[in-house]
Amino acid sequence: MTSQQTGSDDLELIEQNDGFTLTWQQRLILRHTAQAPCLWAGAGEADIAMFRGNFSIKDKLNEKIALTNASVTKQRTGWTIHFTRGDAVSATLIIDTDAAGRLQLRLQNEASSHNRIWLRLAAQPEDHIYGCGEQFSCFDLRGKPFPLWTSEQGVGRNKQSYVTWLADCKENAGGDYYWTFFPQPTFVSTQKYYCHVDNSCYMNFDFSAPEFHELAFWEDNATLRFECAQTYVALLEKLTNLLGRQPELPDWVYDGVTLGIQGGTEVCQQKLETMRNGGVKVNGIWAQDWSGIRMTSFGKRVMWNWKWNGELYPQLAERIQQWNREGVQFLSYINPYVASDRDLCAEAAKRGYLTKDAQGKDYHVEFGEFYAGVIDLTNPEAYDWYKGVIKQNLIALGCGGWMADFGEYLPTDTFLHNGVSAEIMHNAWPALWAKCNYEALEETGKLGEVLFFMRAGYTGSQKHSLMMWAGDQNVDWSLDDGLASVVPAALSLAMSGHGLHHSDIGGYTTLFDMKRSKELLLRWCDFSAFTPMMRTHEGNRPGDNWQFDSDAQTIAHFARMTTVFTTLKPYIKQAVAQNAKSGLPVMRPLFLHYENDPRAYTIKYQYLFGRDLLVAPVYEEGRRDWTLYLPQDSWVNLWTGEECGGGEITVNAPLGQPPVFYRAQSEWASLFNALRLI
Amino acid sequence: MTSQQTGSDDLELIEQNDGFTLTWQQRLILRHTAQAPCLWAGAGEADIAMFRGNFSIKDKLNEKIALTNASVTKQRTGWTIHFTRGDAVSATLIIDTDAAGRLQLRLQNEASSHNRIWLRLAAQPEDHIYGCGEQFSCFDLRGKPFPLWTSEQGVGRNKQSYVTWLADCKENAGGDYYWTFFPQPTFVSTQKYYCHVDNSCYMNFDFSAPEFHELAFWEDNATLRFECAQTYVALLEKLTNLLGRQPELPDWVYDGVTLGIQGGTEVCQQKLETMRNGGVKVNGIWAQDWSGIRMTSFGKRVMWNWKWNGELYPQLAERIQQWNREGVQFLSYINPYVASDRDLCAEAAKRGYLTKDAQGKDYHVEFGEFYAGVIDLTNPEAYDWYKGVIKQNLIALGCGGWMADFGEYLPTDTFLHNGVSAEIMHNAWPALWAKCNYEALEETGKLGEVLFFMRAGYTGSQKHSLMMWAGDQNVDWSLDDGLASVVPAALSLAMSGHGLHHSDIGGYTTLFDMKRSKELLLRWCDFSAFTPMMRTHEGNRPGDNWQFDSDAQTIAHFARMTTVFTTLKPYIKQAVAQNAKSGLPVMRPLFLHYENDPRAYTIKYQYLFGRDLLVAPVYEEGRRDWTLYLPQDSWVNLWTGEECGGGEITVNAPLGQPPVFYRAQSEWASLFNALRLI
């Protein structure tokens, strides 16, 4: 056995007879022998079909070749490893550190026909893994593969559920545990390192083997970055140094609930008054149909022509000003598509700003009885033009914000201005869409004043998406797609560097026999009071759902919980500021502050809200008590003032008193105590 | 370009710059270039989980390497082709003809670690493909992959059906289009050749590409055989020369229906009398619970201890003799497992005749609240002992036959006497099980007198399984798992060399909300009168199902259709004799005799019964007419005597008059005409 040790103190590469090991700050990163190699090269042909954001993705695998031989060459700042399989196949791995001192692994296939890479990172059987963007079904990702591809999140997301089966039969829409609007090739290991991949190709991170993580890349190159830290808090600070952080939220966000309303200016006015008269703190009205509607056989759809529709919303400009004077924002809606039969699309087409099909004609995507063109955000002129649409049609109108919807639907067979394959750009699209919105605010000086929120994301959304929302939950109690699923979604995003998350109060997807019950709406309202934003949604079939104004008790419930939320304003605000400053997320997994508690690593449906509140939302129907786990600390029940230490505890959990504890030694204790009087 | 042509007139290998083509009797078989190779080598680790005959099969693929370089060496009788990928990987293909003059391709990986082979056979876009054993959902196999692995057939077999989803949720039991008891690596192309593979490993024959068929083998070697013929009839004769043929059926089979009855001697006697009194021709009683029952929470199960149970069946030996005198056979039941808690198992265990687990202990399979040992049929002593059980306990008792059930459940983690991996032996098991039954008859001189019938099969079942039955259809009208599915099952088996097929009248699987309706039972009875055997089954929940004696009209229906069947005896008998002589199946696809009719190749739910009857079973509920296709010929409606030529025709199809036509020029016309008087 020969042994070689080089590089900085942090980085150690030891050569052995038929392989090597790479260690970074005492973490074993790579382990290669001829018998158990760490690298494969190969080729495949992607077979990707999309129907309304639901993807069927298969690889017609042409070959996958283990690169058994590794020849190491010392370089000035690291090593180059030439991997081969006889004289037939080769690939290169460059190991060094980037300008910021991160470990950097750069892989490159050498055969031009090879467009697939599989890399095995060393793992320990006991490692837990978190991140990979927004994961709704899993928090600890160990034990499963996670394909990373932005798409609809699926309806039901569990092949054992009837709703999933119905949705699958209808449009392949049921989804599975890994479907997400916001995937990201970034994970945190409990060895206290993160790994982030720069690419945007289709990837599959498979954490199911005990001794390795197999990362598959549908591209001929990949760049991985790693950093280690002593604590998870420090690790997230490093990760967000790399990826960027969200700025603080506009102050009005903390002043109440944003009411999702449709139907025109007067409907908004009436519902606003009803709620305010009922004592509800309202910070805004969010009207997604501000641009008008289109009738289809599925019902009303928003008109995808992003300008104020004066017929449905008469006097909107004036009314916005009036509402603003009353402390109420008006939020609208936009997405990166333009309806093919309307004037914005015609203008984009005339200017050549739409993505193309194989014949060079404008590509139009079917969205359900109507088509829409795709703004080519890789074309700087198109990007600027669309940014101008946001500035002129939304910001100048006086919108306090909007939902920047979609971003997941870039078809893989469309052609882009930048010449990059749409298969590679697909995942990058949501972040590009975020950046377009972000810059519209930045360039108009409205950052920190106007808010947009998104469901789709990818690397880059940390910096450019001001706020995430959890997308389209079912209006049900299912673990994989109901209220519960929002918690692992927020926590996995937190571990991926995005620290601001909220959800539609009451959920959205109202299909088949699902109808939102009163209890679900109230429990979701309770939960949302302990997230950085409260916002309601009518759902896609408003008439089937219990709504915020469906009865007096519900209005009173919103009055109570918005008062809780607004009372917490200074506390939430400082947590949001901390996120902006150091990337410490607002909703945090328990292990972030209780690193030595093994059970904290397995908890998926509880979270810390800031440093001092522990929240355990009730996500089952008909419950009036709730059992939760408290890490070792001194805790106070937010509603009863009872003190307790760590361990499992069962508490009363009536509606309006979601299980929440605060740390006894919190500097915010008097604020928290005030909540008992509400 | 260099060109080389060698071998017999039939076999032509032409070398080109970077590849070769292989042609056999003017059919292009292989086409290889460096860019589009025909061979891949690789390695994988099978990940196979079984629960009650339902398999989850995945390949942990370690590598798959295109062998781009082919170096051809002329041999005395053919060629050896050395395939390589640089100096790293190689495999050999030996091309020659076997002793019988068949084209033989022998593949062998050269790396000991390589246990996977992928071979692409040249194809034309317009080719149709048939065979691959018993296929219930597809007849023309073009357009899909067909994994070949003997298993349960699935409940529902269609991911779009509710029953399938329920069964999947329960025990991964829903299945898919390719699940079958009887897979076989044999197919017939409309280029009029067959291809048969000698191996028994897991394979996947993928017919979805227009230019090639990709055959995947989970083994380090494969031997393929090909023959061509001028007609499909001649081709099946050649195929059955290779695989073997079924002998003729016992004469009693044509004398009526075999009644599936359970519950004891007197129940059998009473039901027999009821049916005979109602004018039903009965050729036998089939009592699967002859060995007793076991109560489980699922209900009654047969006691898997293969000996006459005198408590449930008192005086059976004497009664069998009496029934025989009345022309009624007694049929029993056996399978290749022995209940762990009973004496046959104890004896097998003592003798060391059970398969083993990794620790060398007896392997016991869970069958639903009881366990059973697996008789190790690869141990000649165990095989002979079990053959002796059949001889002594079934044949000597006087059984006229039995259901030789199962054969699909060999676990892949059990260890066998012959030292071959259970993964390789799994598919071979049903044929070994058939052979054991066959030899028990052969050695007692009972072939042609006693009948056994099987659902499981593989290569070898042609010679050793006297009769197939279609296994466990649902008691419903579904295309993939109901009455209809029996027709493609029979026809695909026919194209795989097995020409004797029947089904449970009324279907079997009675789960969830499924219950057998009277109409379904009667339609199935109508259909079965035009198959080589009529046999009923109560189903797994007899109380939920309409039965043959449920009302007088049903009994009268059986009286009518058994009279039709027995009237056809001489015709069916000659068709069965033809199958025994030349491998011409009894139930035939239309194109077998109408080769020039393109539409004949697409017809999946009609068949020729012998040469002269065309049968189009009614497989939809509530129908009283039926539309079918007649190839160009002179046809006579069996029930009305109306004559017609070819083309689509709609006929009345009342219960008891299934759409059947005979050829006007048939020598059996007077026999057929006699059916109009029944």
Side-chain angles (χ1 to χ4, degrees), chain B residues 476-511:
Chain B
D476 72 8
W477 302 90
S478 66
L479 282 182
D480 291 281
D481 204 14
L483 194 169
S485 69
V486 177
V487 182
L491 300 185
S492 53
L493 259 193
M495 297 307 291
S496 307
H498 204 298
L500 295 179
H501 192 267
H502 78 296
S503 62
D504 294 339
I505 294 177
Y508 167 82
T509 304
T510 314
L511 289 174

Side-chain angles (χ1 to χ4, degrees), chain A residues 310-352:
Chain A
E311 283 177 50
L312 192 58
Y313 281 86
Q315 286 92 43
L316 180 61
E318 300 85 337
R319 199 65 66 93
I320 286 175
Q321 292 181 22
Q322 180 198 312
W323 288 332
N324 286 351
R325 286 190 295 272
E326 300 166 6
V328 173
Q329 302 295 319
F330 179 80
L331 292 84
S332 61
Y333 175 98
I334 187 170
N335 70 43
Y337 303 101
V338 281
S340 303
D341 54 357
R342 287 296 182 279
D343 63 309
L344 266 183
C345 185
E347 186 182 345
K350 199 176 122 198
R351 293 172 181 267

Side-chain angles (χ1 to χ4, degrees), chain A residues 106-117:
Chain A
R106 283 176 289 168
L107 287 159
Q108 179 69 53
N109 281 344
E110 273 150 24
S112 63
S113 65
H114 279 164
N115 60 358
R116 299 284 183 270
I117 294 172

